[in-house]
Amino acid sequence: MTDKKRIAIYPGSFDPVTNGHVDIAQRATNIFDQVIVAVSHNPNKDYLFTDEERLMMTREAFRDNGKISVINFSGLVANLAREKNAVAIVRGLRAVSDFEAEFQLALMNRKMNRDVETVFLMTSFRYVYLSSSIIKDAAQHHGKYEDLVPPIVIKMLKQKYQTQD
Ligand code: ADP
């Protein structure tokens, strides 16, 4: 046995963070000593929120959980994992449709860093249809989404789309 802290990275776009993400990260803290939520910047992706906004909302969502820290990053998750001495990369799986892309990503990450394992957590049943894209659509078109995201995200979406109750 070693008393080394077991660190996991939970990477994603978090554009914006949803209760589905929060659930996965919190459940990951039951397995790991520390979970680093890594808000990615991918120059090939179009985000609704800026890097700073995504970081701020995600930090706010996890602010009461001492085992979770939130950082910005760009580049390869495999390199970030090495830099942070992480033992695992955490990803969430909703449906079979997530599987193929996640499988490919996990194999690539394994090829680039053999010291880190990808760990998949199944979504909680109530979040199975929840995605950041669905939230953005709902917010833009006056749908109901407020019970599916942290309060800071409701505030930021209302600002973005200039909608009030
Ligand atoms: P990415 O662009 O890296 O897919 P996302 O922010 O969309 O970033 O998702 C980050 C991770 O969280 C992914 O592993 C995704 O499958 C998972 N995830 C997103 N929404 C949910 C949800 N409702 N339940 C479980 N996992 C989810």
Side-chain angles (χ1 to χ4, degrees), residues 48 133-143 145 157 161 163:
L48 174 65
S133 313
I134 277 184
I135 292 296
K136 285 179 276 194
D137 281 350
Q140 192 174 8
H141 300 108
H142 312 284
Y145 65 89
L157 281 168
Y161 294 119
T163 52

Side-chain angles (χ1 to χ4, degrees), residues 1-127:
M1 279 294 281
T2 149
D3 56 5
K4 217 177 103 196
K5 263 193 164 185
R6 296 175 70 77
I7 298 169
I9 310 273
Y10 178 32
S13 304
F14 305 101
D15 185 38
V17 62
T18 70
N19 291 350
H21 294 125
V22 171
D23 178 59
I24 294 287
Q26 278 174 348
R27 284 164 51 207
T29 64
N30 296 330
I31 311 173
F32 301 101
D33 299 312
Q34 199 200 342
V35 174
I36 302 175
V37 177
V39 180
S40 60
H41 173 77
N42 178 344
N44 301 320
K45 269 195 182 172
D46 279 331
Y47 301 105
L48 174 65
F49 291 102
T50 64
D51 291 358
E52 292 71 28
E53 287 170 332
R54 290 182 291 122
L55 182 71
M56 178 278 285
M57 289 185 284
T58 311
R59 282 216 165 118
E60 182 68 25
F62 292 112
R63 130 185 135 152
D64 295 332
N65 193 325
K67 289 175 89 177
I68 299 177
S69 56
V70 182
I71 60 168
N72 257 147
F73 91 106
S74 58
L76 297 173
V77 176
N79 291 343
L80 179 70
R82 192 174 290 117
E83 190 190 304
K84 299 288 182 189
N85 285 318
V87 294
I89 295 167
V90 170
R91 296 286 286 176
L93 279 183
R94 279 156 296 189
V96 180
S97 51
D98 277 343
F99 180 80
E100 197 164 328
E102 293 292 343
F103 184 50
Q104 193 180 19
L105 211 59
L107 289 181
M108 255 332 259
N109 281 329
R110 185 157 166 71
K111 185 173 161 58
M112 291 186 285
N113 183 349
R114 295 217 164 263
D115 299 326
V116 70
E117 290 291 343
T118 300
V119 172
F120 293 102
L121 296 182
M122 293 299 155
T123 186
S124 295
F125 192 63
R126 61 190 184 284
Y127 301 133

